Amino acid sequence: MTSRSHSLRDAIEEQIAVGELRPGQHLDETELATRFGVSRTPIREALIQLASMGLVVIRPRRGAVVAEIAPQQLVEMFEVMAELEAMCGRLAARRMFTEEHAQLQAAHDACREAREAVDSDEYYYRNEAFHEQIYAGSHNAFLAEQARNLHRRLRPYRRLQLRVRDRVATSFSEHQEIVDAIVAGDGERTAALLRDHIMIQGQRFADLIASLAHLSNKAA
């Protein structure tokens, strides 16, 4: 893939993550080419790459659309994400070095700044950096890559969760417990905390579905 199509892929992925391009929305190659000031060829290459990541669905003779996830599949994907994060956390508690603890704490402090600013969008980006420190801290490159891939697939939905009332404050409190467990070297507690942190069930799932419905109504 060319550097141009790579940067376009990242730009389109970001628009999907922030809700500018919504699940089920048609992705017109000509319109995207005009928007980004490029030809259709790198746009097509970017969409193919996004399709391989599961973020876009390319339909024969009908073009591409932003991928939609059915509620049951969404639950299943978050279940897998929770287990991947738990595995990363368990290993990170055993394997992170002192300097990596400092980097994790710095990422946590950055989340605090976004929380205090009452900025859920900024918190979202800093939250991603926080979880990335845990993936890297597992010192298992294959596991970290699997976690990153699924994290990217769920980005639009993880972002929506943070817009639910009080979720940012709750998320930050959960981060603090996770940091403490990792620094203490308690792998099992870290795994349990991360699993609960990621899982959507009960009221959290209802809130996420309500947020998706609200987004769809605004687009209608």
Coordinates of all heavy atoms in Angstrom, one line a residue, residues 4 13-14 17 19 22 41 45-46 54 59 61 75 77 79 91 94 100 115 122 132 144 158 165 170 175 182 189 196:
R4 N 0.4 7.3 0.5 CA -0.8 8.2 0.3 C -2.0 7.4 0.7 O -2.9 7.9 1.5 CB -0.9 8.6 -1.1 CG -2.2 9.4 -1.5 CD -2.4 10.6 -0.7 NE -1.4 11.6 -0.9 CZ -1.4 12.5 -1.9 NH1 -2.4 12.5 -2.8 NH2 -0.4 13.3 -2.1
E13 N -10.5 6.1 8.8 CA -10.7 5.4 10.0 C -11.0 6.3 11.2 O -11.9 6.0 12.0 CB -9.4 4.6 10.4 CG -9.6 3.8 11.7 CD -8.3 3.2 12.2 OE1 -7.3 3.2 11.5 OE2 -8.3 2.8 13.4
E14 N -10.3 7.4 11.2 CA -10.6 8.4 12.3 C -12.0 9.0 12.2 O -12.7 9.2 13.2 CB -9.5 9.5 12.2 CG -9.6 10.5 13.4 CD -9.3 9.8 14.7 OE1 -8.6 8.7 14.8 OE2 -9.7 10.4 15.8
A17 N -14.3 6.5 13.5 CA -14.2 6.4 15.0 C -14.9 7.6 15.7 O -15.5 7.4 16.7 CB -12.7 6.4 15.4
G19 N -17.5 9.2 14.5 CA -18.9 9.3 14.1 C -19.2 10.2 13.0 O -20.4 10.4 12.6
R22 N -20.9 7.2 9.7 CA -21.6 6.4 10.6 C -21.8 4.9 10.1 O -21.8 4.7 8.9 CB -23.0 7.0 10.8 CG -23.0 8.4 11.4 CD -24.3 9.0 11.5 NE -24.9 9.1 10.1 CZ -24.6 10.1 9.3 NH1 -23.7 11.0 9.5 NH2 -25.2 10.1 8.1
T41 N -8.0 6.2 -7.1 CA -7.2 5.1 -6.9 C -6.7 4.9 -5.5 O -6.9 3.8 -4.9 CB -6.0 5.0 -7.9 OG1 -6.5 5.0 -9.2 CG2 -5.1 3.8 -7.6
E45 N -7.8 2.0 -2.7 CA -6.8 1.2 -1.9 C -7.0 1.3 -0.4 O -6.9 0.3 0.3 CB -5.4 1.7 -2.2 CG -4.9 1.4 -3.7 CD -3.6 2.0 -4.0 OE1 -3.0 2.7 -3.1 OE2 -3.0 1.7 -5.1
A46 N -7.3 2.5 0.1 CA -7.6 2.7 1.5 C -8.8 2.0 1.9 O -8.9 1.4 3.0 CB -7.8 4.2 1.8
G54 N -12.1 -4.9 8.9 CA -13.5 -5.1 9.3 C -14.2 -3.8 9.6 O -15.4 -3.8 10.0
R59 N -19.2 -4.1 -1.2 CA -20.2 -4.9 -1.8 C -20.1 -4.9 -3.3 O -20.0 -3.8 -3.9 CB -21.6 -4.4 -1.4 CG -21.8 -4.3 0.1 CD -23.0 -3.4 0.4 NE -22.9 -2.1 -0.2 CZ -23.9 -1.2 -0.1 NH1 -25.0 -1.4 0.5 NH2 -23.7 0.0 -0.7
R61 N -20.4 -4.3 -7.0 CA -21.3 -3.5 -7.9 C -22.1 -2.4 -7.1 O -22.9 -1.7 -7.7 CB -22.2 -4.3 -8.8 CG -21.4 -5.2 -9.8 CD -22.4 -6.0 -10.7 NE -23.2 -6.9 -9.9 CZ -22.7 -8.1 -9.5 NH1 -21.5 -8.5 -9.7 NH2 -23.5 -8.9 -8.8
V75 N -21.7 -7.5 21.6 CA -21.4 -8.1 22.9 C -20.3 -9.1 22.8 O -19.4 -9.2 23.7 CB -22.7 -8.8 23.5 CG1 -22.4 -9.6 24.7 CG2 -23.8 -7.7 23.8
M77 N -17.9 -9.3 20.6 CA -16.6 -8.7 20.4 C -16.0 -8.1 21.6 O -14.8 -8.1 21.9 CB -16.7 -7.7 19.2 CG -17.0 -8.3 17.9 SD -17.4 -7.1 16.6 CE -15.7 -6.5 16.3
E79 N -16.7 -9.1 24.6 CA -16.2 -10.2 25.5 C -14.8 -10.6 25.1 O -14.0 -10.9 26.0 CB -17.2 -11.4 25.3 CG -18.5 -11.3 26.0 CD -19.4 -12.5 25.7 OE1 -19.1 -13.3 24.8 OE2 -20.4 -12.7 26.5
L91 N 0.1 -10.1 32.1 CA 1.5 -10.1 31.7 C 2.2 -8.8 32.0 O 3.3 -8.9 32.5 CB 1.6 -10.4 30.2 CG 1.2 -11.8 29.7 CD1 1.3 -12.0 28.2 CD2 2.0 -12.9 30.4
R94 N 3.4 -8.6 35.5 CA 4.6 -9.4 35.8 C 5.8 -8.9 35.1 O 7.0 -9.1 35.6 CB 4.3 -10.9 35.3 CG 3.3 -11.6 36.1 CD 2.8 -12.9 35.4 NE 3.8 -13.6 34.7 CZ 3.5 -14.6 33.8 NH1 2.2 -15.0 33.7 NH2 4.4 -15.3 33.2
E100 N 8.6 1.7 32.7 CA 7.3 1.5 32.0 C 6.2 1.9 33.0 O 5.1 2.4 32.6 CB 7.2 0.1 31.5 CG 8.1 -0.2 30.3 CD 8.0 -1.7 29.9 OE1 8.3 -2.5 30.8 OE2 7.7 -1.9 28.7
R115 N -10.3 14.4 32.0 CA -11.5 14.2 32.9 C -11.8 15.6 33.6 O -13.0 16.0 33.6 CB -11.2 13.2 33.9 CG -12.4 12.9 34.9 CD -11.9 12.3 36.2 NE -11.1 13.3 36.9 CZ -10.6 13.1 38.1 NH1 -10.9 11.9 38.8 NH2 -9.8 14.0 38.7
E122 N -11.3 14.3 24.2 CA -9.9 14.3 24.5 C -9.6 13.1 25.4 O -8.6 12.4 25.3 CB -9.5 15.6 25.2 CG -8.0 15.7 25.5 CD -7.2 15.6 24.3 OE1 -7.6 16.0 23.2 OE2 -6.0 15.2 24.4
E132 N -2.7 1.4 25.4 CA -1.5 1.1 24.6 C -0.3 0.8 25.5 O 0.5 -0.1 25.2 CB -1.2 2.2 23.6 CG 0.1 2.0 22.8 CD 0.1 0.7 22.0 OE1 -0.9 0.2 21.5 OE2 1.2 0.1 21.9
A144 N -0.3 -8.3 21.8 CA -0.5 -6.9 21.7 C -1.1 -6.5 20.4 O -2.0 -5.7 20.3 CB 0.8 -6.1 21.9
R158 N -16.4 2.2 21.6 CA -15.7 2.5 22.8 C -15.8 4.1 23.0 O -16.0 4.5 24.1 CB -14.2 2.1 22.8 CG -14.0 0.6 22.7 CD -12.6 0.2 22.8 NE -12.0 0.3 24.1 CZ -11.0 -0.5 24.5 NH1 -10.5 -1.4 23.8 NH2 -10.5 -0.3 25.7
R165 N -23.4 9.5 30.5 CA -23.2 10.3 31.7 C -22.4 9.5 32.8 O -22.6 8.3 33.1 CB -24.6 10.6 32.3 CG -24.5 11.5 33.6 CD -25.9 11.6 34.2 NE -26.9 12.2 33.3 CZ -27.0 13.5 33.1 NH1 -26.3 14.4 33.8 NH2 -27.9 14.0 32.3
T170 N -16.0 7.3 35.9 CA -15.9 5.9 36.4 C -14.7 5.3 35.7 O -14.0 4.5 36.4 CB -17.2 5.2 36.0 OG1 -18.3 5.8 36.6 CG2 -17.2 3.7 36.4
H175 N -9.2 3.0 36.0 CA -7.8 3.1 35.6 C -6.9 3.2 36.8 O -5.8 2.5 36.8 CB -7.5 4.4 34.7 CG -8.0 4.3 33.3 ND1 -7.7 5.2 32.4 CD2 -8.7 3.3 32.7 CE1 -8.2 4.9 31.2 NE2 -8.8 3.7 31.4
I182 N -1.1 -3.1 38.6 CA 0.1 -3.4 37.8 C 1.4 -3.1 38.6 O 2.3 -3.9 38.6 CB 0.0 -2.6 36.5 CG1 -1.1 -3.2 35.6 CG2 1.4 -2.7 35.8 CD1 -1.3 -2.5 34.3
R189 N -5.3 -9.8 39.8 CA -6.2 -8.6 40.1 C -6.2 -7.7 38.9 O -7.3 -7.2 38.5 CB -5.7 -7.9 41.3 CG -6.5 -6.6 41.6 CD -6.4 -6.1 43.0 NE -7.0 -4.8 43.2 CZ -8.3 -4.6 43.3 NH1 -9.1 -5.6 43.2 NH2 -8.8 -3.3 43.4
D196 N -13.4 -6.4 33.8 CA -14.6 -5.7 34.2 C -14.7 -4.3 33.5 O -15.7 -3.8 33.2 CB -14.7 -5.5 35.7 CG -14.9 -6.8 36.4 OD1 -15.4 -7.8 35.7 OD2 -14.7 -6.9 37.6

